[in-house]
Amino acid sequence: MTFLQPHFRTGQLARSAVLAFSLLATSAWSADTPPPEPNAPMSKLQTLSHRASDLAMEAMGMLGIQYKYGGDTPESGLDCSGLVRLIFKETWGLILPRTSKEISKVGQHIDKDKLQPGDLVFFNTLRRGFSHVGIYLGDRKFIHSPSAGGEVRIESMDIGYWKKRFNGGRRISEPEIDTPQ
């Protein structure tokens, strides 16, 4: 048994839970109850929200992976930017820059109070801005690969350490999907 198997099961369990919830929610509509009329702007918003949540769910599948400086695969370990790059590549097919500082220049600035799941959060952990990056999960929590000896984990942005070091948030737009007309 490799050290990765339990972590992939965790990701599968999280995805299965979301799928089960979706199926239960869908089954609430009976044959007598018509679904609501589609609303194009609301539908697009729901699609964007769902797809951003896909980033967060994919990241949850990496919980427990060991930190490794310069690491960019689950097998060898991940550093903070390696985790973020892997999640965006696996989920959206985007190739992000290698370092957290370079990633901090991609996308649009998002105020702390407007963060949504899938947004990136940056911290000053090495006495220089944007030296650490994680993925916002919602409810003031983020997932990241912290430092040597650590592993991918979820933490609260309200912890004093992170609160004092917060540098900002960024939202990276997903590439447009070709939809049939």
Side-chain angles (χ1 to χ4, degrees), residues 45-62:
L45 176 62
Q46 288 172 335
T47 299
L48 291 173
S49 295
H50 174 69
R51 300 196 62 132
S53 295
D54 287 347
L55 291 169
M57 290 302 295
E58 185 74 25
M60 298 277 282
M62 300 294 161

Side-chain angles (χ1 to χ4, degrees), residues 131-142:
S131 55
H132 189 68
V133 63
I135 299 173
Y136 187 71
L137 298 174
D139 196 30
R140 313 266 312 132
K141 307 268 189 300
F142 71 106

Side-chain angles (χ1 to χ4, degrees), residues 1-176:
M1 175 186 268
T2 68
F3 77 97
L4 293 177
Q5 287 177 332
H7 309 300
F8 288 120
R9 277 195 214 119
T10 302
Q12 285 292 42
L13 285 174
R15 287 185 200 96
S16 297
V18 170
L19 178 62
F21 178 76
S22 297
L23 291 173
L24 286 173
T26 303
S27 68
W29 295 105
S30 71
D32 298 334
T33 309
E37 289 296 317
N39 178 333
M42 184 56 96
S43 178
K44 183 169 176 101
L45 176 62
Q46 288 172 335
T47 299
L48 291 173
S49 295
H50 174 69
R51 300 196 62 132
S53 295
D54 287 347
L55 291 169
M57 290 302 295
E58 185 74 25
M60 298 277 282
M62 300 294 161
L63 284 169
I65 304 257
Q66 292 295 307
Y67 174 91
K68 179 179 180 191
Y69 180 77
D72 59 3
T73 67
E75 296 79 19
S76 65
L78 297 165
D79 65 8
C80 66
S81 57
L83 171 68
V84 167
R85 292 182 80 226
L86 179 65
I87 296 308
F88 274 80
K89 181 180 179 191
E90 294 291 318
T91 307
W92 288 355
L94 286 179
I95 306 297
L96 295 177
R98 180 60 186 107
T99 68
S100 57
K101 177 76 171 172
E102 293 167 333
I103 295 171
S104 75
K105 298 173 185 174
V106 177
Q108 75 180 70
H109 169 78
I110 298 296
D111 291 329
K112 193 180 216 178
D113 61 336
K114 303 242 190 284
L115 289 169
Q116 296 177 5
D119 288 343
L120 299 180
V121 288
F122 294 89
F123 302 90
N124 175 347
T125 58
L126 299 173
R127 296 191 181 136
R128 66 177 190 272
F130 305 99
S131 55
H132 189 68
V133 63
I135 299 173
Y136 187 71
L137 298 174
D139 196 30
R140 313 266 312 132
K141 307 268 189 300
F142 71 106
I143 188 167
H144 67 126
S145 188
S147 60
E151 57 187 38
V152 175
R153 64 181 179 232
I154 297 170
E155 293 199 62
S156 172
M157 291 174 58
D158 293 328
I159 293 173
Y161 180 86
W162 298 113
K163 195 180 244 185
K164 288 188 290 190
R165 289 167 175 80
F166 183 76
N167 277 141
R170 304 292 289 184
R171 181 166 298 146
I172 298 176
S173 297
E174 179 182 11
E176 289 294 319

